[in-house]
Amino acid sequence: MIVLGIESSCDETGIALYDTNRGLLAHALHSQIAMHQEYGGVVPELASRDHVKRALPLLRETLTKAQVQAANIDAIAYTQGPGLAGALLVGASVACGLGLALDKPLIGIHHLEGHLLSPLLASQPPEFPFIALLVSGGHTQLMRVDGVGQYSLLGETLDDAAGEAFDKSAKLLGLDYPGGPAISKLAQSGDPLIHQFPRPMLHSKDLNFSFSGLKTAVLTAVKKYPEALTDNDKANVARGFVDAIIDVLVAKCQTAMKQTGLKRLVIAGGVGANQQLRAALNAAANASNPKKRFQVYYPELEFCTDNGAMIAFAGAMRLQAYPELATKNYSFNVRPRWPLHELVSA
């Protein structure tokens, strides 16, 4: 089965073809970062218009790379939500139009499920069951994954997501959008002893997160400087922030592994590309106490951020597990707000 995947939930347009026998055939991606940089964040109307411009050329590019004719596609998967309404509608309209023209079934995919399953695209994928840390600009959640469509929510952020805290704190330091990679890079040259920021909910005994207070601590630290921050000052603040957020993420993952008794941890989402997080998790996974050791898996770096490959793959896995989900109803149906628990309960 060859599945076409279409991703357009925010500021990346992604198209991919996945074959259940041969794996990922081809994918193409366009990022809108350069366009949104001057505004300091994503402008929904501009994002939607750019998806309109990019979708079909990327589709042609992907078909050419894969040497596949459109008529040979067996099904079309598209991001149905959550995301920006206008952006989602572009991907849905392309999917519905292609489905109608080619008489192919469609399947709407939850964006977060795409991220959850993306590490399975790696050359050495994890086996079920595993714990997944989904950590991105809009989401921070710990989940138990027992199979495709079999998800149990263990904990989530009560306010800001980790990626959101990265971006907001970077903005406080005057760094360009997107702030996450910028503040992480700056932190590498900072002194870890200058700023000891709080580790929110580190000892809460549950698996929930809270990062709004950490962002406030960064704001307070910045305001204490009597003059404009030097590059060295910014690096020190960045280091204190990054160390704090990484400590919390790693500790919660360790608690989840202990509580569930599982030995496989999967990291998904854009923050999963963060090198400090990867280094800290790798160190935790190789603990001196053998009983505390576990295996940690990451998506390929190109699949950490939004992409069409994860949607094509999630679509293929869902269609294999639940073929009744395929539909030839080509009416537009997107879900900008799609609570994850609804997917779990379904």
Side-chain angles (χ1 to χ4, degrees), residues 6-85:
I6 302 172
E7 157 61 28
S8 67
S9 63
C10 189
D11 60 344
E12 275 103 9
T13 315
I15 306 289
L17 283 168
Y18 183 84
D19 188 316
T20 51
N21 288 329
R22 295 180 288 163
L24 184 64
L25 300 181
H27 74 101
L29 181 71
H30 175 77
S31 173
Q32 302 175 2
I33 286 177
M35 180 176 69
H36 296 294
Q37 253 178 345
E38 63 179 299
Y39 304 100
V42 177
V43 181
E45 177 66 18
L46 294 180
S48 301
R49 291 177 180 272
D50 200 67
H51 287 309
V52 171
K53 183 165 61 174
R54 307 290 179 180
L56 292 183
L58 288 174
L59 172 61
R60 297 188 191 100
E61 178 185 339
T62 303
L63 289 169
T64 300
K65 282 183 184 177
Q67 297 183 326
V68 170
Q69 297 295 318
N72 293 330
I73 294 171
D74 295 301
I76 301 170
Y78 67 97
T79 304
Q80 191 173 9
L84 302 174

Side-chain angles (χ1 to χ4, degrees), residues 209-277:
F209 304 86
S210 172
F211 295 116
S212 63
L214 181 55
K215 174 199 64 183
T216 303
V218 172
L219 175 61
T220 301
V222 169
K223 285 184 175 180
K224 284 183 178 179
Y225 284 87
E227 299 176 359
L229 275 69
T230 65
D231 289 344
N232 191 51
D233 293 333
K234 291 180 180 180
N236 292 334
V237 173
R239 179 59 183 267
F241 166 78
V242 171
D243 284 355
I245 206 166
I246 297 302
D247 283 353
V248 172
L249 291 173
V250 172
K252 294 290 184 175
C253 287
Q254 290 176 305
T255 301
M257 305 304 288
K258 181 179 179 180
Q259 289 183 1
T260 61
L262 297 182
K263 292 296 182 180
R264 287 183 290 272
L265 174 68
V266 163
I267 309 302
V271 182
N274 183 279
Q275 294 304 309
Q276 290 102 321
L277 177 61

Side-chain angles (χ1 to χ4, degrees), residues 271-307:
V271 182
N274 183 279
Q275 294 304 309
Q276 290 102 321
L277 177 61
R278 290 191 175 209
L281 284 170
N282 290 340
N286 294 294
S288 56
N289 185 342
K291 293 182 179 180
K292 294 183 178 181
R293 292 176 189 168
F294 54 90
Q295 292 177 290
V296 59
Y297 299 84
Y298 308 95
E300 302 292 341
L301 284 174
E302 62 182 330
F303 299 138
C304 284
T305 54
D306 297 347
N307 62 86

Side-chain angles (χ1 to χ4, degrees), residues 76-307:
I76 301 170
Y78 67 97
T79 304
Q80 191 173 9
L84 302 174
L88 290 168
L89 281 168
V90 176
S93 66
V94 172
C96 291
L98 280 172
L100 179 62
L102 300 173
D103 191 30
K104 303 295 182 180
L106 308 177
I107 182 167
I109 297 297
H110 195 294
H111 181 76
L112 301 187
E113 183 173 40
H115 278 301
L116 279 177
L117 299 178
S118 62
L120 299 178
L121 284 165
S123 56
Q124 294 183 319
E127 296 180 356
F128 298 115
F130 55 77
I131 298 299
L133 172 66
L134 179 58
V135 57
S136 66
H139 306 277
T140 302
Q141 295 162 324
L142 273 166
M143 305 194 71
R144 176 181 174 126
V145 180
D146 289 293
V148 178
Q150 300 175 43
Y151 315 123
S152 303
L153 183 62
L154 303 177
E156 61 184 339
T157 182
L158 304 179
D159 40 60
D160 289 353
E164 190 177 2
F166 268 98
D167 288 339
K168 288 180 177 179
S169 297
K171 194 170 185 178
L172 292 173
L173 294 176
L175 304 178
D176 289 337
Y177 171 85
I183 197 171
S184 296
K185 182 177 180 181
L186 185 61
Q188 293 174 5
S189 59
D191 186 334
L193 301 178
I194 300 297
H195 293 283
Q196 297 292 319
F197 291 125
R199 273 62 171 162
M201 300 188 72
L202 186 65
H203 304 294
S204 64
K205 297 183 180 179
D206 58 28
L207 296 175
N208 290 325
F209 304 86
S210 172
F211 295 116
S212 63
L214 181 55
K215 174 199 64 183
T216 303
V218 172
L219 175 61
T220 301
V222 169
K223 285 184 175 180
K224 284 183 178 179
Y225 284 87
E227 299 176 359
L229 275 69
T230 65
D231 289 344
N232 191 51
D233 293 333
K234 291 180 180 180
N236 292 334
V237 173
R239 179 59 183 267
F241 166 78
V242 171
D243 284 355
I245 206 166
I246 297 302
D247 283 353
V248 172
L249 291 173
V250 172
K252 294 290 184 175
C253 287
Q254 290 176 305
T255 301
M257 305 304 288
K258 181 179 179 180
Q259 289 183 1
T260 61
L262 297 182
K263 292 296 182 180
R264 287 183 290 272
L265 174 68
V266 163
I267 309 302
V271 182
N274 183 279
Q275 294 304 309
Q276 290 102 321
L277 177 61
R278 290 191 175 209
L281 284 170
N282 290 340
N286 294 294
S288 56
N289 185 342
K291 293 182 179 180
K292 294 183 178 181
R293 292 176 189 168
F294 54 90
Q295 292 177 290
V296 59
Y297 299 84
Y298 308 95
E300 302 292 341
L301 284 174
E302 62 182 330
F303 299 138
C304 284
T305 54
D306 297 347
N307 62 86

